[in-house]
Amino acid sequence: MATERLIAATPQPTDQEWSGSSLRPDSIEEYVGQVDLLEKLSIAVEAAKVRAKAPAPDDMPRTHEPMEHVLLHGPPGLGKTTLAHVIAREMGTKLYTTSGPALARGNDLVAALTRLQTGDVLFIDEIHRMPIAVEEFIYPAMEDFKIDVTVDSGMHARTVQIRCKPFTLIGATTRAGLLSAPLRSRFGITHHLKYYAESEIHIILERSSRVLGLGAVDDACLGTIASRSRGTPRIANRLLRRVRDYAQVRANGVVSRSLVEMALGLEGVDELGLDELDRSYLRIISTVYDGGPVGLETVAATMNEDAGTLEDVVEPYLLQIGFLARTRRGRMLTRAAAEHLGVAWNPDREVAEELFDG
């Protein structure tokens, strides 16, 4: 897309402003949400610390067993990168970050691994996009902390083994199904991150408002922002920054419920967290195609948008809130979407029966 959407969960340059890093929690205690995952991580971190301090048997050399490798998967913006920072801080070690596309060759992975010190954390974002050739390099590193590098080629080829320090790998992906089974099986902790409840987003916004210098913001104001955040902390913090900017320019820094409504209205974000692209998608299906069913490619051509963009960026949230149905005959609006748009809901009888009969 030519323009960046405010309510897109993918990272944007504005997320990296001076306060961006400080909006991340510093410890597991400060992290909000994902309760089941936090309990597993707390145990794993504490166990790794205990092993690091335990004396080695008299007849055996001292070895360092780091925390288990962790695979985090789920929609963007839910805190996978933040959890990597938190784990490294809890372990008292350094965090090194890279991404699957950046590891184009085996040598790239070797360079990343050999700079790690004992107990350090290597975070690979979009790990599903790591090439197969590079993936094969990482298997012995994850299991035995060694890398087998092939030197020369042909009849002169030989393998050199490079040892690397014991480390913890944290992989993050939005497409867990694209990970190969051998790679997925080498992670000791695997967890799917869920969307946040509105109450959890509210707590996150309370801390973020203090960090951004807004002080104590009225609960109604934070609740309004939380309700439009799509259950995603990254979007919530982005909306809060827009409200802060609007308040500083139009209201001398004072945040009120009406000001929040005006600020988010200016950005085109309605009470359900839908923006103009979402509403345009729904209106096209409603008005041009009588509520559906209609094929995705047809809708994309009508909107002059990329079908992949609509499928990956627009449709997930509409499906989540029950505004869109995917049937065998195409996309179709639900009754809730029609009521939100203020249009009549007259689905094809056959498709309606298919929709509600599963």
Side-chain angles (χ1 to χ4, degrees):
M1 295 177 60
T3 58
E4 293 176 337
R5 302 172 68 209
L6 180 65
I7 44 74
T10 50
Q12 295 180 7
T14 53
D15 297 328
Q16 308 302 323
E17 64 180 44
W18 68 270
S19 58
S21 59
S22 60
L23 290 182
R24 299 186 191 276
D26 294 323
S27 63
I28 290 179
E29 287 73 21
E30 288 186 0
Y31 196 97
V32 178
Q34 313 295 341
V35 178
D36 295 342
L37 173 60
L38 292 185
E39 184 175 4
K40 289 193 288 187
L41 291 178
S42 298
I43 293 173
V45 167
E46 189 60 33
K49 289 181 178 179
V50 170
R51 289 194 298 269
K53 296 177 181 178
D58 295 336
D59 57 342
M60 295 182 63
R62 181 178 178 81
T63 59
H64 183 92
E65 184 182 347
M67 177 182 162
E68 285 191 287
H69 305 302
V70 181
L71 176 64
L72 304 174
H73 56 94
L78 299 187
K80 296 183 284 292
T81 304
T82 297
L83 278 169
H85 284 269
V86 167
I87 290 171
R89 288 194 186 99
E90 292 283 351
M91 294 294 297
T93 57
K94 290 184 178 180
L95 173 71
Y96 294 89
T97 63
T98 185
S99 65
L103 301 173
R105 301 170 301 169
N107 289 341
D108 298 328
L109 180 63
V110 172
L113 292 174
T114 52
R115 67 177 177 175
L116 299 176
Q117 299 300 311
T118 301
D120 281 350
V121 176
L122 176 63
F123 176 68
I124 303 180
D125 198 11
E126 298 183 277
I127 194 171
H128 65 276
R129 296 178 61 186
M130 191 166 58
I132 295 297
V134 178
E135 192 175 300
E136 292 174 353
F137 270 88
I138 209 168
Y139 295 158
M142 293 176 70
E143 293 181 330
D144 304 317
F145 306 115
K146 63 182 182 181
I147 314 163
D148 295 325
V149 181
T150 302
V151 181
D152 295 328
S153 59
M155 62 181 298
H156 300 291
R158 56 194 177 89
T159 300
V160 176
Q161 189 174 91
I162 302 175
R163 303 291 301 184
C164 58
K165 305 288 181 61
F167 69 99
T168 296
L169 174 65
I170 301 179
T173 176
T174 57
R175 307 286 294 275
L178 297 182
L179 282 180
S180 66
L183 178 59
R184 190 164 51 243
S185 66
R186 284 171 167 80
F187 288 95
I189 300 174
T190 302
H191 195 88
H192 175 75
L193 273 68
K194 301 174 290 186
Y195 284 105
Y196 286 64
E198 197 171 306
S199 58
E200 294 171 334
I201 295 291
H202 195 288
I203 297 172
I204 292 172
L205 287 171
E206 286 179 346
R207 178 183 181 274
S208 297
S209 63
R210 292 192 299 269
V211 173
L212 292 174
L214 290 173
V217 180
D218 183 76
D219 283 345
C221 298
L222 296 181
T224 300
I225 300 173
S227 66
R228 306 186 187 200
S229 299
R230 299 175 174 240
T232 306
R234 178 180 290 153
I235 295 176
N237 286 328
R238 195 180 296 154
L239 294 178
L240 182 64
R241 290 192 184 98
R242 296 297 186 275
V243 169
R244 175 199 61 179
D245 294 347
Y246 192 91
Q248 289 175 341
V249 173
R250 297 290 177 86
N252 200 28
V254 178
V255 178
S256 63
R257 175 73 178 274
S258 60
L259 181 135
V260 172
E261 296 279 357
M262 289 187 289
L264 299 185
L266 182 65
E267 300 289 348
V269 181
D270 67 16
E271 63 273 11
L272 292 180
L274 303 180
D275 70 351
E276 186 53 39
L277 183 60
D278 297 317
R279 292 189 292 270
S280 176
Y281 176 88
L282 295 173
R283 281 196 299 266
I284 289 292
I285 297 179
S286 172
T287 59
V288 179
Y289 301 105
D290 298 323
V294 59
L296 175 62
E297 295 287 346
T298 303
V299 178
T302 306
M303 296 179 63
N304 194 28
E305 287 284 351
D306 176 64
T309 297
L310 295 180
E311 186 173 22
D312 295 337
V313 176
V314 175
E315 290 189 342
Y317 184 63
L318 298 179
L319 290 165
Q320 178 191 339
I321 62 176
F323 273 22
L324 182 69
R326 287 177 176 172
T327 71
R328 289 189 294 270
R329 294 172 58 187
R331 270 59 170 175
M332 177 180 170
L333 296 190
T334 64
R335 185 190 300 273
E339 292 175 351
H340 181 72
L341 294 173
V343 298
W345 188 66
N346 296 308
D348 178 272
R349 180 177 180 83
E350 180 182 344
V351 178
E353 291 175 353
E354 172 192 330
L355 177 61
F356 291 109
D357 290 344

